[in-house]
Amino acid sequence: MITAGRRHWLAIAVLAAVTFANTWRNPFQFDDLHSVQYNPHIRSLRFLPDYFVDPATFSSHPSGYMYRPLLLTSYAANYLVGGTRVGGYRLVNLVLHGLASGLVVSVGLGLGLPAATAWTVGFLALVHP
């Protein structure tokens, strides 16, 4: 028997898959080009310590420099597994959005919101990232 909590997690997974279904075949866009596709710093985990001290590792272009070490770490892990194939980056993004949505629900429930409200807010956070 599937519990209510598991049904909600299943609903998050299905909603995430449906919401982001049209992204799987799209190429990299906008900042993906300089921060993923052409960024030499994500092509090796030896740069990992640099992500935490050097904003220039975020981008192949000086105007794109920023400090986002955890994002870069995920990019490097993605690159290690699949190179610059877009699907892996989309899958990680999908999973992270689903987990963030679940976290929103957990925080809402922890704050005492009614379950229906917490799940509604979590679903909204998922479809409107």
Side-chain angles (χ1 to χ4, degrees):
M1 176 116 193
I2 298 176
T3 64
R6 287 191 177 148
R7 274 196 309 266
H8 286 111
W9 277 105
L10 181 60
I12 284 177
V14 169
L15 185 59
V18 169
T19 300
F20 296 102
N22 67 344
T23 67
W24 294 105
R25 296 182 191 196
N26 295 338
F28 286 123
Q29 298 290 321
F30 308 114
D31 61 342
D32 296 333
L33 297 174
H34 68 86
S35 62
V36 177
Q37 190 167 5
Y38 303 122
N39 187 351
H41 298 104
I42 67 165
R43 287 166 171 51
S44 172
L45 294 179
R46 70 183 169 93
F47 293 109
L48 189 96
D50 297 337
Y51 303 158
F52 293 87
V53 294
D54 185 4
T57 59
F58 186 76
S59 176
S60 63
H61 194 274
S63 67
Y65 292 176
M66 52 181 103
Y67 182 75
R68 298 183 74 182
L70 296 179
L71 180 59
L72 274 176
T73 301
S74 76
Y75 286 169
N78 266 267
Y79 188 86
L80 181 67
V81 172
T84 57
R85 288 192 305 257
V86 176
Y89 296 87
R90 300 287 190 251
L91 179 61
V92 169
N93 193 34
L94 178 75
V95 169
L96 291 175
H97 275 90
L99 290 173
S101 174
L103 183 60
V104 167
V105 172
S106 295
V107 169
L109 293 172
L111 291 173
L113 291 177
T117 302
W119 282 103
T120 300
V121 172
F123 289 147
L124 288 173
L126 177 68
V127 299
H128 195 291

